[in-house]
Amino acid sequence: MPGAVDVSDIVASSGSEQVLLMKGKAMLYSSQGVLTGLLALYRDKLVWSEISDRSANMLTISTDVMFGATLSPPDKYKFKSIEAAAATNLAIEASTHFTVYTLTSRESGKRPMCDTWTFKMDSEEECATWLSLLRFTINPKPAAKDTNVLIFVNPVSGKRKSVKLFETVVKPILEIGSTPYTLKITESQGYADEFVKTQDLSPYTAIVA
């Protein structure tokens, strides 16, 4: 990615959660339009505050709910789904825009809510630096090359919508979060149990069923 920098030393040496890692002018795409403000990144949160004499809008996003950050196309911040956002944004190699993705829990029985927040910087180089620092802050220990999450999906569960749910929601989240995985569609009752008992599991670092 053009302009990207090695930010590991910056984050590692920052110490306290409240230490400011980076700050700069940024435009936020919102339901109110494009707003100008200041963006500040700390170890535990991202804070945007509007620069305006008429309003004092502020956005605070905890790194605990962030699962990824990507470049994004100019002047586009709304996507029909997380699948559409991933398909578009993961293919971008340079931009002045980046998007932060969050996943927050809701009341029992409801699917967690996925949100996106898009910012515009003055240059591609500045955007690349923000993105690198954000990614390292979200995940200080990126997945190792040998990381491989084994995922079992039962095609008849969830009213036979589990495969579609994986493809449209879970898969994009894994890809945005740069999490390598292997998908196994269960072929019969007890398939996952039998697989775990009889197959070599050494290639996998975690199992999700």
Side-chain angles (χ1 to χ4, degrees):
M1 180 171 55
V5 297
D6 185 354
V7 299
S8 58
D9 290 339
I10 299 175
V11 179
S13 63
S14 62
S16 170
E17 298 292 308
Q18 298 302 315
V19 169
L20 179 66
L21 301 178
M22 190 168 183
K23 185 175 184 179
K25 183 179 178 181
M27 301 179 77
L28 170 67
Y29 286 74
S30 74
S31 58
Q32 301 176 42
V34 183
L35 307 177
T36 301
L38 289 175
L39 188 63
L41 177 63
Y42 301 85
R43 286 179 62 94
D44 63 339
K45 61 182 176 289
L46 182 67
V47 180
W48 177 90
S49 52
E50 186 178 10
I51 301 174
S52 173
D53 295 331
R54 294 177 295 178
S55 62
N57 290 312
M58 180 175 285
L59 170 68
T60 300
I61 309 173
S62 168
T63 53
D64 288 340
V65 299
M66 298 182 200
F67 66 85
T70 67
L71 294 174
S72 50
D75 303 319
K76 182 176 178 61
Y77 69 97
K78 287 186 177 181
F79 296 91
K80 292 182 178 179
S81 63
I82 186 65
E83 180 185 25
T88 300
N89 294 350
L90 289 174
I92 298 174
E93 296 183 356
S95 178
T96 54
H97 295 61
F98 69 85
T99 296
V100 175
Y101 303 81
T102 62
L103 195 63
T104 54
S105 59
R106 295 195 289 177
E107 58 189 87
S108 180
K110 290 189 176 182
R111 187 184 304 170
M113 180 181 295
C114 183
D115 282 320
T116 60
W117 313 90
T118 298
F119 301 90
K120 178 184 178 182
M121 313 310 295
D122 287 336
S123 68
E124 291 182 358
E125 291 75 15
E126 184 182 8
C127 188
T129 300
W130 271 98
L131 187 61
S132 296
L133 193 53
L134 261 169
R135 285 175 170 171
F136 200 89
T137 304
I138 294 169
N139 185 10
K141 297 181 180 180
K145 292 182 179 180
D146 60 349
T147 296
N148 187 3
V149 179
L150 175 61
I151 301 175
F152 292 101
V153 174
N154 183 345
V156 300
S157 66
K159 299 180 180 179
R160 298 183 180 274
K161 296 181 179 180
S162 57
V163 174
K164 182 178 180 180
L165 178 63
F166 176 85
E167 292 291 337
T168 59
V169 179
V170 179
K171 179 181 176 181
I173 289 176
L174 291 171
E175 292 178 342
I176 290 171
S178 301
T179 304
Y181 68 91
T182 295
L183 175 65
K184 295 289 184 181
I185 305 296
T186 59
E187 301 172 356
S188 60
Q189 185 174 1
Y191 176 92
D193 289 339
E194 186 64 21
F195 186 96
V196 170
K197 291 177 181 178
T198 61
Q199 300 298 313
D200 178 15
L201 301 180
S202 61
Y204 310 111
T205 51
I207 299 176
V208 179

